[in-house]
Amino acid sequence: MTNDGVFDAHVAQTYDKQHGNTDHTVIEQTVDVLVDLAAEGAALEFAIGTGRIALPLAAKGVPVQGNELSEAMVAQMRLKPGGEEIPVAVGDMTTLRSAGEFSLVYLVFNTLDNLTTQAAQVACFENAARHLRPGGRFLVETQVPPLQRLPVGETHLAFDAGPNHWGMDEIDVVTQTYHSHHLWLREDGPESLSVPFRYAWPAEMDLMARIAGLSLEHRWGDWTRAPFTKDSRSHISVWRKPDEAP
């Protein structure tokens, strides 16, 4: 499978502008953290997308590979400077095996939530662990489920209400699934997109990591490595594979 039915050619062409975090300061902070965690080894990005993180990471001298379900997203990366140089395997990040052994596997920008079942999310952790060398690390950046901001009995939570874009999450607290609904108002008419997700709490991810043979090393509230607190709306978590036995 090389397309999930969401990230098609049209979405891929507009992804960086409409969905990707283009704040250059945040991207620089992200890359600096990944360089440190790679520890002079190779890195593998699950769901490499348009290369917004992989390309600056490679420019820092880290050997980077990627996997990606959407061929259209990879095509956009190939159009960017350096995009032709990064090896990318096309397929499902829960099962796809990339060549080599890595000191860092990373999955950023809420993309773990694109796996809409607990079983798929566990499989993602297990696949990451298979790619790691002893002592290697798996990093995930994703949101904290926003249920504290959801009134009791309600199912919809707005996350953007700008002049040209409206965004709303439709949340099912029983199944831990949600759909992010987008509406753009353009000169040539409105455009909409709905994307399915599954949220998981940090503690649930720690158990997924344990199933995969990994243990929590770091949890930060943002890319400055600020402490994770009860008020954090997202987290960057790092799990480590054990060193080889002496």
Side-chain angles (χ1 to χ4, degrees), residues 37-219:
L37 294 176
E40 300 185 353
L44 173 64
E45 180 169 2
F46 279 8
I48 195 170
T50 63
R52 67 184 187 89
I53 300 300
L55 290 172
L57 182 60
K60 289 277 190 176
V62 177
V64 180
Q65 293 188 40
N67 67 38
E68 173 58 51
L69 184 59
S70 169
E71 289 185 320
M73 295 286 276
V74 178
Q76 289 300 308
M77 185 184 75
R78 298 298 189 211
L79 297 175
K80 299 178 180 180
E84 291 284 356
E85 308 301 320
I86 296 180
V88 178
V90 176
D92 190 332
M93 65 184 171
T94 66
T95 56
L96 187 64
R97 188 70 168 89
S98 295
E101 193 173 55
F102 300 87
S103 60
L104 175 66
V105 177
Y106 64 96
L107 177 61
V108 296
F109 203 47
N110 301 326
T111 310
L112 181 69
D113 290 13
N114 285 92
L115 301 173
T116 56
T117 67
Q118 185 185 69
Q121 291 176 348
V122 170
C124 180
F125 274 78
E126 292 176 321
N127 197 31
R130 283 192 289 269
H131 285 86
L132 290 173
R133 71 184 190 189
R137 297 174 171 96
F138 180 40
L139 178 146
V140 171
E141 175 202 18
T142 193
Q143 69 168 342
V144 176
L147 301 192
Q148 287 182 317
R149 294 183 284 121
L150 184 70
V152 175
E154 297 295 325
T155 58
H156 290 74
L157 183 65
F159 59 84
D160 191 24
N164 300 310
H165 175 250
W166 300 341
M168 180 171 292
D169 285 334
E170 182 180 2
I171 301 170
D172 186 335
V173 298
V174 175
T175 62
Q176 291 183 213
T177 58
Y178 65 104
H179 282 72
S180 287
H181 302 296
H182 299 265
L183 177 64
W184 290 275
L185 303 178
R186 309 190 190 284
E187 291 183 359
D188 57 351
E191 178 183 345
S192 63
L193 176 70
S194 293
V195 185
F197 298 100
R198 179 187 188 269
Y199 65 79
W201 298 97
E204 185 181 359
M205 294 183 198
D206 289 342
L207 183 55
M208 294 178 189
R210 183 176 177 182
I211 291 170
L214 309 175
S215 58
L216 183 67
E217 183 177 49
H218 302 291
R219 177 161 289 135

